[in-house]
Amino acid sequence: MVKETIQIFARLKPPSRKHQQGVCAEQLGTGEIYSIDEDEKLTPSLEIILPRDLADGFVNNKRESYRFKFQRIFDHDAKQEIIFENIAKPVAESVLAGYNSTIFAYGQTGSGKTFTITGGAERYSDRGIIPRTLSYIFEQLQKDSSKMYTTHISYLEIYNECGYDLLDPRHEASRLEDLPKVTILEDPDQNIHLKNLSLHQATTEEEALNLLFLGDTNRMIAETPMNQASTRSHCIFTVHLSSKEPGSATVRHSKLHLVDLAGSERVAKSGVRGQLLTEAKYINLSLHYLEQVIIALSERNRLHIPYRNSMMTSVLRDSLGGNCMTTMIATLSLEKRNIEESISTCRFAQRVALIKNEAVLNEEIDPRLVIICLQKEIQELKDELAIVTGEQRTEALTEEELLQLEKLMTSFLEDQDPESRLEVGADMRKIHHCFHHLKRLVNDKKTLGKSTGPSETKNQDCQEPLREEEYRKLQDILKQRDNEINILVNMLKKEKKKTQDAGLLSSMDRSEIRSSQGSPFPSGNPQEGQRTSSSLVPAQAQDFGASRYRSSLLHKKTGMRGEMSLGCQEAFEIFKRDHADSVTIDDNKQILKQRFSEAKALGESINEARRKIGHLKDAITQRHMQQVALGISENTAVPGVPDPQEEELRLQLEEEKKRYRTKFTRLKALKVEIEHLQLLMDRAKVKLQKDFEAWWAAEASSLQVHSPAANPLGPVKPFPQTSESQQDRSQLPSNRRDLTGRNTPPTPCPSPVGREQCSPSTRPEVSISERPTSSIPLTGDSQTDSDILAFIRARQSILQRKCKCTHLQLHEARASALLAST
Ligand code: ADP
Ligand code: MG
């Protein structure tokens, strides 16, 4: 059992980009707001200093600085790798050792919880704790051949006190609200079970990563502007690990919860109303219950801990004051306007640090193996009983039983140990059978002894020296011939394989060229240099296929593009071009392209190395054969003395193998990176499409308002009348409205310069709403009219943003042509 308090770490977020680029960076400079004291080596502390203008109004006693102790404090420049190495790696180790573990991130919205737990959506180097931990765990599992491991993944989202399975296949067809809710069941031992939460087996890092991205994309798709679930829900990604030693009946289970909590900001500050207030109240309620549990746990002698008050505390019951090693990361966005929230986060962390957990190894006996053992024991007891009661067992021994006895007797007779025993159990039939068998053996030996007469032996004896020499010589020759035959057979096999490989390799090359997305990886065990790519590539290709299959499913779900009208498609093209994410997608595309060509080149040089290894091996075999042949004909081979040429070849072979292994390791890393980038891109594409869909629907609904005569664009999702905190709004681009109350595309100007250009003050106010509807000629056909109206709207907002370029002019020309033709 390991008794440990919950470990608390603080991670500071870099100042937001807006501030970094802002004019008065030093004013907002965080240096005056906080300082980290690392002198106290064991418990570093974070001092938050209240600026004078805030101190007066903030607290009555006019305290001006607060000091909080943490296990470690990571300043804003700490990279994701450092966070993994220092926080998550030790946790992953304890999960591998069989202990339940939890890492949870707590902090206000925008402080970096998701960035820390899952990672950034842009760069590979920004991947967070989950992908890095998965990578580490699978690497360790691969290294450890002493146990059999099974890994399962589950991904739960708790939103408004309801649980949803982010990996539920029905996500493809439903909205979040339509999915079956995950519910909590408690068994008589007060263990928590989650009904409707699916567990998915993951045998490789790639499979686990696919599940993570699938869950994240499902979460993003389910999120509507009305439910900004990502800031208002809790997400629990769980890795379930079981291990068993071969032959043992004991199974070890451990769970790793990686938790991204809802934003911890208070309702009062964000001042939300209506529906959002209900949500905010819920989050607050759920975090409030978390706080209550933590207070109860940190107080000594408290008998009742109110776990049952909320779903989240019920699910995390073991992580809080139970059988678990728990780590908390307090994420802080230490800017002036966030001071209040930051202090509250730190206070929460201080209370959490008082909680003691007791983690035990979760071992359980595998019932199937126990049944086998018990059956054996029952049989033995029956046998003993039969002897004791004198009961005769008359039925014949089965074939298996006889075979088993033969084996036992053979090993007994061959065993040189005089103490060894023949254990056949208490079955008289078996004992009798063994005696009969031994009797037969003794008799056989006797008859053999009689048949070899003394004269013969004598005769044999006198010829012995001669025969023995001859016999040895013959044996040597036989051995040599055997060797040669083996070598020749091997050579033949290799030749055959080479011809097969040549065929497969050329077809693989063709498929690589055909598809830039196809895998360029000749994978396989780096230890086995001689394995050919052909036997391994298809499995890799399947992996890629699987991830593409998933993403295509996701695309289908958002699948608006499939049914897009021409106008809608054009608008999408413009929208895509101006969307901030398209820069990321393009960047990632470039990186992906580079990585692909690097992987391809590496793949080729690995194939080359493999060919060289093959040649060297052939050369060694040939040389060996020559030596053997020479030895036979001239009797010159001196056994035990190595042939220098062969030695040289062997050295070269080792060198080549080393090179092969280095390249292979690099290729493996590249493969993980490429897959990650592909998943990031898939997700970005889905997001782009989703943003467009929302914007398109909003445009249509605003047109409907201004032009009731116009035909509606089908069902339209309303946009939220949000009044969220400023910060929220900056992160939820689809919620932005321009001065006329219309929605603008979520991120219309990728660069800050662009953003300035389209600021309301500089924008020429030529709004379509001001134009009389009758001035727009309509065709009467609902689809065409809605396209025209939506197109004009799209064009208008682009014009307003002054993003004039040839592309737009082209569209303008097309629009005029379209209008003229109607
Ligand atoms: P939260 O999940 O707490 O609401 P996010 O993780 O979404 O916050 O972070 C908000 C924004 O800040 C994101 O754009 C994220 O990429 C960025 N961010 C957060 N932490 C860091 C960090 N340590 N380094 C760089 N960017 C960060
Ligand atoms: Mg988040």
Side-chain angles (χ1 to χ4, degrees), residues 247-289:
S248 157
T250 315
V251 190
R252 230 175 233 190
H253 298 285
S254 54
K255 269 189 267 183
L256 169 62
H257 292 307
L258 298 166
V259 189
D260 185 355
L261 290 176
S264 63
E265 55 275 3
R266 315 278 133 163
V267 196
K269 193 186 172 194
S270 49
V272 286
R273 299 270 175 282
Q275 154 97 16
L276 291 175
L277 178 62
T278 330
E279 286 172 359
K281 204 174 72 194
Y282 266 123
I283 316 160
N284 246 6
L285 209 61
S286 131
L287 284 180
H288 168 73
Y289 285 132

Side-chain angles (χ1 to χ4, degrees), residues 302-479:
R302 267 287 283 267
L303 288 178
H304 174 68
I305 310 292
Y307 289 112
R308 284 204 188 96
N309 281 352
S310 86
M311 179 159 195
M312 203 239 308
T313 46
S314 303
V315 175
L316 293 183
R317 184 183 181 142
D318 261 347
S319 312
L320 308 163
N323 168 20
C324 190
M325 291 182 174
T326 302
T327 298
M328 169 187 168
I329 307 175
T331 53
L332 301 162
S333 171
L334 268 170
E335 286 163 23
K336 213 162 151 185
R337 65 200 168 114
N338 294 331
I339 278 215
E340 197 179 333
E341 290 300 347
S342 304
I343 291 174
S344 141
T345 301
C346 290
R347 280 202 181 122
F348 181 82
Q350 306 301 296
R351 271 200 293 270
V352 168
L354 299 174
I355 300 174
K356 271 207 183 84
N357 281 2
E358 287 180 4
V360 290
L361 283 179
N362 307 293
E363 287 184 332
E364 157 186 297
I365 309 288
D366 184 343
R368 282 168 308 170
L369 290 172
V370 174
I371 290 171
I372 294 173
C373 287
L374 287 175
Q375 277 174 339
K376 207 171 148 213
E377 200 179 329
I378 289 173
Q379 191 54 48
E380 279 168 11
L381 288 171
K382 269 187 185 170
D383 292 343
E384 269 179 39
L385 195 68
I387 290 183
V388 174
T389 56
E391 185 191 319
Q392 292 283 322
R393 296 179 68 176
T394 47
E395 71 270 30
L397 290 167
T398 63
E399 281 292 315
E400 286 93 62
E401 282 171 327
L402 289 174
L403 211 71
Q404 185 76 15
L405 283 177
E406 305 278 304
K407 264 192 207 161
L408 280 173
M409 274 184 287
T410 317
S411 60
F412 170 69
L413 291 171
E414 281 171 1
D415 195 343
Q416 300 295 320
D417 180 5
E419 302 284 307
S420 71
R421 292 170 55 165
L422 177 61
E423 305 269 6
V424 292
D427 187 341
M428 285 314 286
R429 294 169 306 161
K430 289 183 184 171
I431 295 169
H432 285 311
H433 178 82
C434 285
F435 276 126
H436 282 305
H437 185 78
L438 287 172
K439 188 177 174 187
R440 215 168 33 235
L441 280 181
V442 173
N443 285 343
D444 284 355
K445 211 166 184 187
K446 268 190 203 156
T447 354
L448 207 74
K450 271 182 202 160
S451 66
T452 46
S455 60
E456 218 175 304
T457 328
K458 206 179 169 186
N459 202 6
Q460 261 182 349
D461 281 349
C462 66
Q463 284 183 7
E464 192 119 301
L466 181 72
R467 272 198 180 183
E468 207 161 272
E469 202 184 319
E470 207 175 342
Y471 175 67
R472 214 175 291 140
K473 228 178 183 175
L474 282 170
Q475 234 177 0
D476 277 351
I477 294 173
L478 196 66
K479 229 184 215 167

Side-chain angles (χ1 to χ4, degrees), residues 11-14 76 108-115 231 260 731:
R11 183 184 199 184
L12 276 49
K13 192 194 133 178
H76 60 82
Q108 70 182 114
T109 297
S111 58
K113 295 181 296 297
T114 307
F115 187 83
T231 60
D260 185 355
Q731 283 170 12

Side-chain angles (χ1 to χ4, degrees), residues 561 564 568-576 688-689 692:
R561 286 180 71 187
M564 271 186 195
C568 184
Q569 270 176 33
E570 289 202 17
F572 180 71
E573 286 308 314
I574 300 169
F575 182 88
K576 191 168 80 178
L688 180 77
Q689 213 167 313
F692 172 71

Side-chain angles (χ1 to χ4, degrees), residues 50-57 336:
L50 274 188
R52 289 199 173 274
D53 50 341
L54 267 185
D56 282 337
K336 213 162 151 185

Side-chain angles (χ1 to χ4, degrees), residues 649-659 661:
L649 284 170
R650 280 190 194 283
L651 275 177
Q652 281 180 27
L653 180 69
E654 281 315 305
E655 278 300 308
E656 205 52 58
K657 276 189 179 173
K658 226 185 267 171
R659 268 198 288 277
R661 275 194 284 266

